[in-house]
Amino acid sequence: MPRAAGTFTIDSWEPQPYDEAEGATLSRVHITKTFDGDLTGTSTADIITAIPLVEASAAYVGFERFTGTAHGRKGTFVLHHSAGGHAGESALSWTILPDSGTGELLGIRGSGQIVNDDGAHSFHLDYELN
């Protein structure tokens, strides 16, 4: 199974809190990114974040549409995100939505992880194409 690895930058982060009740703030966040490495291209994502008053914890879920190339193959696909963290430890995973690939990425499926190292983001994505 090929592994795509590289980095991405967050070009925009637009949070919109919708529930700031006691315990945690829930927000919708629209994000744009630029990818470099084995994935080259851009993406848009919409996530739902939950951040408690004690900011040592957080979680989010969401979807992201990637447009570009994976190891030189052109197309798009959708990533499903799931993440959580507590006291400096985090787990950020993503899975390619089955049957979401287009172009030369038709049939792509797989999963991987994101690493946030003090704002520097890297990733790996293990995938296969039918």
Side-chain angles (χ1 to χ4, degrees):
M1 183 175 283
R3 173 170 277 194
T7 61
F8 64 85
T9 57
I10 295 176
D11 301 317
S12 69
W13 178 276
E14 302 169 11
Q16 297 178 340
Y18 66 89
D19 182 344
E20 298 180 87
E22 238 179 275
T25 297
L26 305 178
S27 297
R28 290 178 185 89
V29 183
H30 182 73
I31 305 163
T32 59
K33 300 178 186 174
T34 301
F35 286 79
D36 289 303
D38 298 325
L39 294 182
T40 303
T42 59
S43 71
T44 58
D46 286 290
I47 64 173
I48 302 293
T49 63
I51 301 174
L53 296 176
V54 178
E55 291 188 20
S57 299
Y60 77 84
V61 295
F63 293 95
E64 175 173 11
R65 182 178 309 277
F66 171 82
T67 302
T69 62
H71 288 117
R73 296 178 74 155
K74 206 177 227 186
T76 69
F77 55 84
V78 173
L79 292 159
H80 174 207
H81 289 254
S82 180
H86 174 71
E89 298 293 322
S90 64
L92 298 100
S93 63
W94 52 4
T95 304
I96 297 171
L97 178 67
D99 300 318
S100 68
T102 67
E104 295 174 318
L105 299 175
L106 189 66
I108 192 170
R109 62 178 191 247
S111 62
Q113 293 185 315
I114 299 168
V115 175
N116 181 354
D117 188 13
D118 289 324
H121 296 91
S122 61
F123 68 87
H124 75 265
L125 181 66
D126 297 317
Y127 71 92
E128 58 185 316
L129 286 162
N130 289 337

